[in-house]
Structure formats: structure tokens, C-alpha cells
């Protein structure tokens, strides 16, 4: 995880402490700009640290959760 940018590390830690969140939730809790969160999520997904799941109450949104083996 050392090779990841600070924004990706912050998004990872936010998910670690807060649990599954939407992109909007990540923006609100991390206080990072939307574009930065989007890039961090993509980076974390590419490295296998998080995964995207369907939101149970709103199928238009996605929840981001930590992968089991990374936590």
C-alpha cells in the first residue's frame, strides 16, 4: 500500500473506520474533492483493496467496501 497516493490511503482508511460508503459518502467524510475520490476509488479497485457493490436501497448508487483479504 506504500505505493498508493495519499488520497487513496485516506479513502481506504475512511472505509476502514466508517464501513461501506457511496462515493458521495466518501466525499463528505474524507473532505476530498469528488474527482480526487473518484480517482482514489479507481486506484484502490485496480489494486484489489476495495470492491464496488450494489446499494440495497438505491440501485443507482454503488457502495464501496474493503476486500476481505486487504483488511
Amino acid at each position: 500500500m506504500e505505493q498508493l497516493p495519499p488520497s487513496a490511503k485516506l479513502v481506504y482508511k475512511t472505509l476502514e473506520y466508517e464501513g461501506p460508503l457511496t462515493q458521495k459518502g466518501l466525499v463528505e467524510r474524507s473532505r476530498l474533492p469528488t474527482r480526487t475520490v473518484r480517482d482514489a476509488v479507481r486506484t484502490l479497485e485496480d489494486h484489489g483493496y476495495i470492491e464496488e457493490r450494489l446499494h440495497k436501497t438505491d440501485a443507482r448508487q454503488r457502495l464501496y467496501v474493503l476486500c476481505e483479504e486487504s483488511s
Side-chain angles (χ1 to χ4, degrees), residues 4-17:
L4 296 177
S7 58
K9 291 177 185 177
L10 178 58
V11 167
Y12 181 88
K13 285 297 185 183
T14 302
L15 288 171
E16 187 174 55
Y17 291 119

Side-chain angles (χ1 to χ4, degrees), residues 14-15 18-26 29 62-65:
T14 302
L15 288 171
E18 300 285 336
L21 292 169
T22 62
Q23 183 174 320
K24 182 179 178 183
L26 284 167
R29 292 199 176 61
R62 301 292 181 259
L63 282 176
Y64 296 99
V65 298

Side-chain angles (χ1 to χ4, degrees), residues 47-63:
H47 284 86
Y49 290 112
I50 67 171
E51 62 186 19
E52 182 181 287
R53 294 192 181 157
L54 287 176
H55 195 286
K56 291 181 181 180
T57 58
D58 186 353
R60 296 171 298 172
Q61 296 187 49
R62 301 292 181 259
L63 282 176

